[in-house]
């Protein structure tokens, strides 16, 4: 082993809930950073199936979506040789730590969560205790691996603050045990908006499919969705965050081409929305195409995906067990 290999890299953990086909929002807010961070960090990437059941799931669909998500992680550049890719329910320490942390979490801390408030207002009858305590499970996911940083989109920031609070609380109550994780949120693309209502986040569960660019959409579908995207009044292609529709399309063009906002403004100076949308459609379709093709290839190989996920769970389980054992000891649970 060389000297470099001996140096421990900082750790990151992140996850995605397998409740639908992943969108360009997941790519912009999370997966893009995930793949770029693989060189400099020890990476744990998780399919959050335990989180998925806070809303009712058909078991067969959940099984399929779990494998779909694993295939999409790899298609988006996650290399299972370098990163630990695993399914959350395969590592029981996640639920075990959740209990301990739940006993340190105030009711008010969970009820203040914006995502909980939004989801519980939308359908009161489906509010369950799991939905309420979901951020505690997320804290466990992160703290078990002693993550230094957590690459996520903007909507997860509040959940991460709770993870930090719980880490500090446990450390102060007992003794230093957990790393206090930092959020790692991209400067551009942390919140990709719906194409039909740019005041709302693009979400895989949106009823209106034309609001969302799925990573499995064909070139034609992508171009059409962007062509029909809602834009603001006016005609200038200027990156003004108040013009949410155009700002969102500029962000997607930046994501797909790597061009800066300034370069994009210059490129489209004096040109109309129609021409701009056609260019965005082409760029996004070209950007997604190789991912979709790789995904389709991988999705036909269940055996390979399962092998990767089993190996990942073994590796993740070893790290998680070490942390949980410290936590149990410090909490006062006897071990013989
Ligand atoms: P989830 O599955 O809703 O989203 C996964 C990741 O994608 C980001 N994201 C977006 N980013 C920009 N624009 C969008 N429109 C967009 N939509 C989604 C999210 O911010 C997130 O980073 N609770 C988490 C999953 C989770 C997790 C964790 C994350 C479970 N345990 C531990 C980090 C660490 C969730 O439901 O994300």
């Amino acid at each position: 082993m060389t000297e470099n290999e001996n140096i421990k890299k900082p750790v990151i953990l992140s996850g995605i809930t397998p409740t639908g086909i992943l969108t360009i929002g997941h790519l912009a807010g999370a997966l893009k950073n995930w793949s770029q961070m693989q060189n400099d960090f020890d990476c744990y990437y998780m399919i959050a199936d335990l989180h998925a059941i806070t809303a009712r799931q058909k078991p067969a669909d959940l099984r399929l979506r779990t494998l779909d998500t694993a295939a999409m992680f790899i298609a988006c550049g996650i290399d299972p040789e370098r990163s630990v890719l695993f399914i959350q329910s395969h590592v029981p320490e996640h639920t075990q730590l959740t209990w301990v942390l739940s006993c340190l979490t105030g009711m008010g801390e969970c009820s203040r969560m914006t995502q909980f408030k939004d989801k519980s207002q939308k359908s009161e009858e489906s509010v369950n205790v799991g939905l309420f305590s979901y951020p505690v499970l997320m804290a466990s996911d992160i703290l078990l691996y002693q993550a230094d940083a957590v690459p996520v989109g903007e909507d997860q920031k509040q959940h991460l603050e709770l993870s930090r609070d719980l880490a500090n609380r446990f450390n102060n109550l007992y003794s230093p045990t957990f790393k206090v994780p930092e959020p790692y949120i991209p400067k551009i693309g942390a919140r990709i908006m719906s194409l039909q209502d740019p005041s709302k986040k693009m979400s895989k569960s949106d009823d209106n499919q034309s609001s969302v660019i799925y990573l499995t959409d064909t070139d034609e579908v992508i171009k059409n969705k962007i062509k029909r995207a809602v834009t603001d009044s006016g005609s200038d292609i200027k990156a003004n965050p108040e013009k949410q529709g155009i700002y969102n399309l500029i962000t997607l063009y930046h994501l797909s081409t790597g061009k800066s906002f300034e370069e994009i403004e210059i490129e489209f100076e004096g040109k109309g929305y129609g021409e701009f949308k056609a260019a965005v459609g082409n760029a996004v379709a070209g950007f997604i195409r190789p991912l979709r093709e790789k995904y389709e290839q991988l999705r036909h190989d269940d055996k390979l995906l399962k092998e990767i996920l089993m190996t990942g769970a073994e590796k993740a389980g070893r790290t998680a067990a070490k942390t949980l054992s410290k936590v149990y000891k410090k909490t006062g649970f006897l071990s013989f």
Side-chain angles (χ1 to χ4, degrees):
M1 193 181 272
T2 66
E3 203 181 315
N4 272 348
E5 281 171 294
N6 258 330
I7 300 170
K8 213 175 149 352
K9 292 180 187 168
V11 175
I12 62 171
L13 174 128
S14 199
I16 293 186
T17 310
T19 44
I21 301 167
L22 301 196
T23 75
I24 197 162
H26 295 107
L27 185 58
L31 285 161
K32 189 163 180 267
N33 269 341
W34 293 14
S35 70
Q36 285 168 356
M37 292 171 98
Q38 292 180 107
N39 286 334
D40 302 323
F41 291 82
D42 271 337
C43 303
Y44 291 86
Y45 294 128
M46 181 191 78
I47 299 156
D49 57 347
L50 296 171
H51 278 93
I53 62 163
T54 55
R56 192 76 65 238
Q57 303 295 324
K58 287 196 186 123
D61 287 353
L62 181 57
R63 280 190 281 271
L64 278 180
R65 292 283 178 235
T66 301
L67 288 180
D68 291 349
T69 307
M72 199 53 97
F73 281 10
I74 302 170
C76 290
I78 306 309
D79 173 1
E81 298 285 322
R82 285 190 290 160
S83 297
V84 180
L85 201 169
F86 69 103
I87 299 174
Q88 188 183 27
S89 66
H90 287 185
V91 182
E93 284 81 0
H94 290 245
T95 43
Q96 292 172 297
L97 180 59
T98 299
W99 179 251
V100 177
L101 295 182
S102 296
C103 296
L104 297 179
T105 310
M107 296 287 283
E109 289 180 296
C110 285
S111 56
R112 269 200 298 279
M113 293 290 155
T114 319
Q115 220 175 58
F116 172 71
K117 285 197 267 187
D118 288 351
K119 287 190 180 170
S120 53
Q121 267 160 17
K122 262 187 214 145
S123 72
E124 263 173 45
E125 74 275 16
S126 67
V127 181
N128 56 65
V129 176
L131 186 66
F132 181 73
S133 61
Y134 166 117
V136 185
L137 176 58
M138 193 163 148
S140 305
D141 301 336
I142 298 165
L143 302 184
L144 271 177
Y145 299 91
Q146 306 290 355
D148 294 88
V150 186
V152 282
E154 178 73 38
D155 62 334
Q156 299 299 323
K157 199 168 168 211
Q158 200 187 20
H159 294 158
L160 273 174
E161 276 156 20
L162 179 69
S163 304
R164 291 170 56 81
D165 290 346
L166 290 175
N168 279 320
R169 196 167 302 159
F170 190 95
N171 291 349
N172 291 333
L173 259 174
Y174 300 100
S175 60
T177 309
F178 294 122
K179 277 260 176 66
V180 181
E182 294 288 338
Y184 191 99
I185 296 175
K187 287 202 178 68
I188 302 176
R191 195 172 172 83
I192 299 293
M193 309 311 272
S194 150
L195 297 179
Q196 290 302 314
D197 176 0
S199 66
K200 270 186 7 193
K201 188 188 77 167
M202 183 183 284
S203 160
K204 56 184 173 299
S205 50
D206 200 311
D207 294 334
N208 183 352
Q209 302 253 313
S210 23
S211 299
V212 188
I213 297 175
Y214 295 104
L215 298 179
T216 50
D217 280 346
T218 61
D219 289 11
E220 278 324 297
V221 170
I222 293 172
K223 288 182 199 170
N224 271 325
K225 285 182 178 175
I226 290 177
K227 197 166 152 194
R228 284 184 281 121
V230 169
T231 38
D232 322 80
S233 58
S235 57
D236 288 345
I237 316 298
K238 286 262 178 265
N240 171 2
E242 279 167 25
K243 300 264 181 189
Q244 290 173 308
I246 280 295
Y247 191 84
N248 198 35
L249 294 183
I250 293 180
T251 305
L252 293 180
Y253 194 63
H254 158 82
L255 182 72
S256 309
T257 60
K259 292 179 185 168
S260 71
F261 280 19
E262 292 74 27
E263 286 170 326
I264 298 171
E265 285 178 351
I266 294 168
E267 184 177 347
F268 292 97
E269 208 172 339
K271 296 185 179 154
Y273 284 174
E275 196 171 334
F276 178 56
K277 281 180 170 180
V280 178
N282 280 330
V284 174
F287 179 55
I288 300 292
R289 191 182 312 127
L291 310 182
R292 181 182 67 237
E293 287 171 358
K294 177 119 195 262
Y295 167 80
E296 279 161 6
Q297 224 180 349
L298 285 159
R299 196 60 195 86
H300 286 114
D301 198 345
D302 275 18
K303 188 165 166 273
L304 174 71
L305 290 175
K306 286 176 186 167
E307 274 166 20
I308 290 171
L309 292 165
M310 274 162 61
T311 310
E314 273 167 34
K315 288 189 196 158
R318 280 197 289 277
T319 311
K322 275 190 210 149
T323 305
L324 188 76
S325 135
K326 284 188 203 158
V327 169
Y328 270 20
K329 220 177 268 167
K330 295 188 188 199
T331 305
F333 297 155
L334 267 180
S335 67
F336 299 114

